Amino acid sequence: ETLSASLDLQATLEVLLSLVVPKMADLAIINLLDDDSGRLLVRAVQAADPAKALLLQGLLGKSYVRQEGIGGSASVLSAGLLQIIPQFSHEILSEIVDEGFHETARRLDMNSAILAPLMSHGRILGSLSLIWSKTKPAHSKSDFALVEELARRASIAIANATEYEHELRVANSFQDASLPTALPAVPGFLFEACYQPGTAQARVGGDWYDAVRIADGRIVISVGDVVGSGLAAAVTMATVRHVIRGVAHVTPDPVTMLNAADKTLRAEYPETFVTALVAILDPVTMI
């Protein structure tokens, strides 16, 4: 329940670490696969010791995993199986950690570790590393099944949060593309617009504003709101706004523009309700 409480990816990772440090391990690191580089990047860290926590913070956003190594997170993901490191040594660190991070690994004073793959529906997400310090007793075999189950449940929560963030980025990009990139520059007038959602969750929705200068020099202004929120409302909003803008260049009459938008709405989205205002500003008559 705790892992699934949020669809924010970073919050989900922090919650996961709070479940294992210090109750199950002295240090914990979550690496997630970066889609662009294909490398495992450190996305969240935690340590019971404040000094070690500070060391771990320096790893955030970096890739310390030796990709071609025969052990560590890279091999855990390739095999899709949990791996146990009963005792760290210089040779083991050389195999699993890139040379540039050997000193950080040494200062963390690691004794043993359990590395678990984070995978969902056959898709590799990353790895969870639980590490025990030399000042603590090594883990026991009873920990293995618990870590494996925790990683399985965490993978579901991480996959859901990752998918939500991806959909939100797509929706935000669509929202931004659906609103005007610039407002008219007309002597004697200053056009300004501010889009401020009521909540962070309502960032994507059906509200719009627009101002376009037509051939005779007048400016057509429209403001409106599609009932609802989310990507569906944003798609409807883009349709209505572009119909109004398109008709404005042919017949710059508010009634005609709204009628055209209404007919399009009834044909494409008959169950949707939209409120809209259309006005025409004449910079010559100032009306």
Side-chain angles (χ1 to χ4, degrees):
E1 290 176 355
T2 303
L3 284 170
S4 303
S6 172
L7 282 174
D8 180 273
L9 177 59
Q10 196 60 38
T12 300
L13 300 181
E14 297 295 340
V15 164
L16 172 57
L17 293 186
S18 70
L19 292 173
V20 298
V21 176
K23 292 182 180 179
M24 292 176 61
D26 301 319
L27 320 170
I29 301 173
I30 298 175
N31 294 291
L32 292 186
L33 194 64
D34 180 61
D35 291 335
D36 295 327
S37 66
R39 294 184 65 83
L40 284 169
L41 301 183
V42 178
R43 289 294 304 270
V45 296
Q46 194 153 318
D49 184 327
K52 292 178 181 178
L54 190 60
L55 272 175
L56 288 175
Q57 287 292 319
L59 296 177
L60 288 172
K62 299 176 182 177
S63 175
Y64 69 83
V65 176
R66 187 180 174 195
Q67 299 291 97
E68 66 278 9
I70 60 174
S73 295
S75 65
V76 164
L77 293 183
S78 63
L81 298 172
L82 182 143
Q83 184 183 44
I84 302 152
I85 301 176
Q87 182 71 50
F88 277 103
S89 65
H90 178 74
E91 291 74 19
I92 290 174
L93 283 177
S94 298
E95 282 293 339
I96 66 177
V97 177
D98 276 342
E99 187 176 354
F101 297 96
H102 283 186
E103 178 59 21
T104 299
R106 185 191 65 78
R107 292 174 64 188
L108 287 173
D109 202 28
M110 300 181 295
N111 179 33
S112 59
I114 299 177
L115 311 180
L118 297 172
M119 304 178 73
S120 178
H121 300 292
R123 176 187 167 208
I124 296 173
L125 303 175
S127 65
L128 169 66
S129 299
L130 303 186
I131 303 164
W132 284 260
S133 169
K134 288 182 179 178
T135 59
K136 297 282 185 178
H139 54 75
S140 64
K141 290 184 178 181
S142 61
D143 295 320
F144 304 159
L146 179 58
V147 173
E148 198 167 39
E149 178 63 14
L150 179 65
R152 185 188 70 80
R153 297 191 184 200
S155 296
I156 296 171
I158 292 170
N160 289 339
T162 301
E163 184 64 24
Y164 175 78
E165 288 200 351
H166 172 72
E167 290 179 359
L168 191 60
R169 284 195 299 271
V170 171
N172 285 339
S173 297
F174 182 85
Q175 177 91 39
D176 294 339
S178 299
L179 295 173
T181 56
L183 296 173
V186 181
F189 293 89
L190 177 63
F191 290 92
E192 294 278 3
C194 176
Y195 184 93
Q196 183 64 51
T199 64
Q201 289 75 20
R203 168 68 180 86
V204 181
D207 304 290
W208 87 84
Y209 60 86
D210 198 9
V212 57
R213 196 169 191 180
I214 56 179
D216 63 10
R218 292 182 296 169
I219 299 97
V220 174
I221 299 168
S222 71
V223 178
D225 174 34
V226 177
V227 172
S229 62
L231 190 56
V235 170
T236 305
M237 171 271 289
T239 300
V240 173
R241 186 179 80 85
H242 286 299
V243 168
I244 292 173
R245 176 178 272 239
V247 175
H249 288 288
V250 180
T251 309
D253 172 66
V255 174
T256 303
M257 286 183 270
L258 285 174
N259 280 339
D262 185 62
K263 289 178 180 178
T264 301
L265 187 68
R266 298 283 70 79
E268 300 289 336
Y269 313 101
E271 302 301 320
T272 303
F273 189 80
V274 178
T275 55
L277 175 145
V278 175
I280 297 179
L281 176 65
D282 191 332
V284 176
T285 64
M286 303 296 284
I287 297 175

